Amino acid sequence: MHLVPADRAGHRTIDGHRVCEAIAAIGDTGHVRSWAERFSLLADPGRLALLLALHRAGPLAVTDLAVATGMRDPAVSQALRLLRTAGVVTGDKDGRVVRYRLVDDAMRPLLNTCAAAHDTPTATAAG
């Protein structure tokens, strides 16, 4: 039980070697917190829709994202502001138009998985 922190060393365990494996799997709490924050961004259907659109279609303006997602422009702007603050997207100004794009490379595999699940045809009843 060499990985158990001192403040938990006196606690009873059933499978001590598995506890050590679990601690190693969890790793640094800062890393866990960072990923939890990423997942919280994906937990909102509107933000997830925006991220999927940007991931698949590339840079898009607020109005185009609103049409694509069925959201209102102010809701898109508010979601993009949150995503930009989190460092997930950035806006590139082209004259009077700002086009947003995905910049968090760690988010891409998650969005690929989500998009692949969407692209997989579901079984339907034969009739």
Side-chain angles (χ1 to χ4, degrees):
M1 300 244 310
H2 65 285
L3 295 178
V4 176
D7 64 330
R8 291 179 254 162
H11 293 210
R12 185 174 85 81
T13 63
I14 306 299
D15 297 309
H17 66 285
R18 290 194 181 187
V19 171
C20 288
E21 289 175 10
I23 291 169
I26 294 167
D28 176 55
T29 56
H31 183 72
V32 171
R33 188 173 296 108
S34 173
W35 275 101
E37 289 169 3
R38 279 191 179 97
F39 282 116
S40 73
L41 292 172
L42 298 174
D44 176 76
R47 289 191 302 262
L48 179 56
L50 292 169
L51 289 170
L52 286 167
L54 293 172
H55 178 61
R56 284 290 182 98
L60 289 165
V62 168
T63 302
D64 295 338
L65 284 164
V67 171
T69 61
M71 297 169 65
R72 294 179 175 260
D73 285 15
V76 170
S77 293
Q78 182 179 2
L80 288 171
R81 190 169 25 261
L82 181 77
L83 294 169
R84 191 176 62 242
T85 300
V88 176
V89 302
T90 191
D92 298 316
K93 194 161 183 152
D94 181 15
R96 293 178 53 189
V97 176
V98 177
R99 288 186 178 83
Y100 290 86
R101 62 186 171 86
L102 182 67
V103 293
D104 184 348
D105 289 334
M107 200 62 96
R108 292 182 195 283
L110 299 173
L111 294 170
N112 280 336
T113 299
C114 184
H118 174 269
D119 293 344
T120 304
T122 57
T124 58

